[in-house]
Amino acid sequence: MSVVGKALSVDVQPIKVALADSNPLMLSALSEFFDRDPRFSLVASVGSAESFLEITLLSTFTVGIVDWSLPMLGGERLIEIIRNQEEPPRIVVYAQGDNQDIPRQAMAAGAAGYCSRSQPPEYLLDTVESIAKGGMVFPFVDVRDLRQDPMHSLTKRERALLISLAQGRTNKELARDHDISLNTVKFHLRNLFGKLSVTNRSQAIAYYYSTRVSSSGGEDG
């Protein structure tokens, strides 16, 4: 769909995004790309991981685009911290080069997507739109090479919902038990399905029990 076509979708609210990049020129260029595209509303643009953490606490936005080499925390640690917030934004890692280690590390840390800086800006914009709709966008990553179990990429909320799901709770019961809306339940389940590389609740439950069987006396009794 063309930009003009997207602009005609007046009933669709712009996707709120925030940027974090240590290169001022790159940050300025990215800000201009998002400002020009009617699909998006730019909430903030910052140059450090610490500043980005601050805006996640002070502002509400759907997707964050972060430089993997952000000072001082770095992109990986930043994502790990953000994923444990109550309602974390989804994160896209925007990194230099095509090193496959970075997408793997980003996925394991809890990012929802990865985009190389060698891709045209339009690819990044389309990636952010896909992720805002609940998708996950990565180049081919052999999940066997992930540095940690995908269970560790779940937020506390997602892990709690998975445990309840494994106990046979319906979505309405999950909403009631965890004091969240039905739409929020669906949002979290979609995220955890993506992180576990499953497509439905039955597969997620099977994955959960398989990890308990393979571990020595799992922690979630």
Side-chain angles (χ1 to χ4, degrees):
M1 182 185 296
S2 67
V3 171
V4 173
K6 296 185 182 83
L8 294 177
S9 301
V10 293
D11 294 333
V12 178
Q13 293 296 315
I15 300 163
K16 293 184 179 180
V17 300
L19 307 172
D21 200 292
S22 57
N23 184 325
L25 293 177
M26 178 62 71
L27 190 62
S28 177
L30 289 176
S31 298
E32 184 176 349
F33 284 125
F34 280 98
D35 271 334
R36 286 195 321 225
D37 195 311
R39 289 176 290 176
F40 306 103
S41 173
L42 182 60
V43 172
S45 56
V46 297
S48 69
E50 290 76 10
S51 297
F52 190 82
L53 275 177
E54 185 176 352
I55 64 172
T56 64
L57 298 175
L58 299 178
S59 306
T60 300
F61 56 95
T62 304
V63 182
I65 300 89
V66 303
D67 172 12
W68 186 248
S69 57
L70 279 172
M72 306 262 293
L73 289 173
E76 184 173 19
R77 181 58 182 148
L78 173 64
I79 296 167
E80 290 172 345
I81 294 172
I82 289 174
R83 79 183 188 197
N84 286 317
Q85 295 180 3
E86 186 65 21
E87 296 288 343
R90 310 197 79 202
I91 301 299
V92 179
V93 170
Y94 194 48
Q96 184 67 45
D98 296 307
N99 184 343
Q100 281 295 304
D101 286 339
I102 296 178
R104 282 195 290 267
Q105 291 168 17
M107 181 184 287
Y114 171 88
C115 182
S116 169
R117 297 191 188 212
S118 63
Q119 296 281 0
E122 292 77 15
Y123 182 83
L124 173 62
L125 299 176
D126 290 342
T127 294
V128 172
E129 182 182 35
S130 295
I131 286 171
K133 293 177 178 178
M136 295 184 72
V137 181
F138 286 92
F140 173 76
V141 173
D142 188 339
V143 295
R144 294 172 299 180
D145 293 336
L146 288 176
R147 300 185 309 163
Q148 61 184 45
D149 188 283
M151 284 288 290
H152 297 305
S153 71
L154 301 182
T155 65
K156 291 180 180 178
R157 172 74 78 185
E158 290 164 355
R159 187 171 177 81
L161 285 172
L162 179 58
I163 293 170
S164 295
L165 198 66
Q167 295 169 348
R169 300 290 196 272
T170 65
N171 282 7
K172 288 184 178 179
E173 289 171 334
L174 291 175
R176 181 196 64 206
D177 294 347
H178 296 272
D179 195 26
I180 54 180
S181 71
L182 189 58
N183 283 338
T184 301
V185 168
K186 293 176 181 177
F187 173 81
H188 285 309
L189 291 183
R190 186 167 60 241
N191 284 348
L192 77 86
F193 290 173
K195 291 178 181 179
L196 299 181
S197 297
V198 300
T199 58
N200 56 53
R201 60 201 300 126
S202 297
Q203 292 176 2
I205 292 169
Y207 186 96
Y208 170 73
Y209 280 116
S210 71
T211 60
R212 294 191 67 196
V213 169
S214 61
S215 63
S216 52
E219 57 179 312
D220 301 309

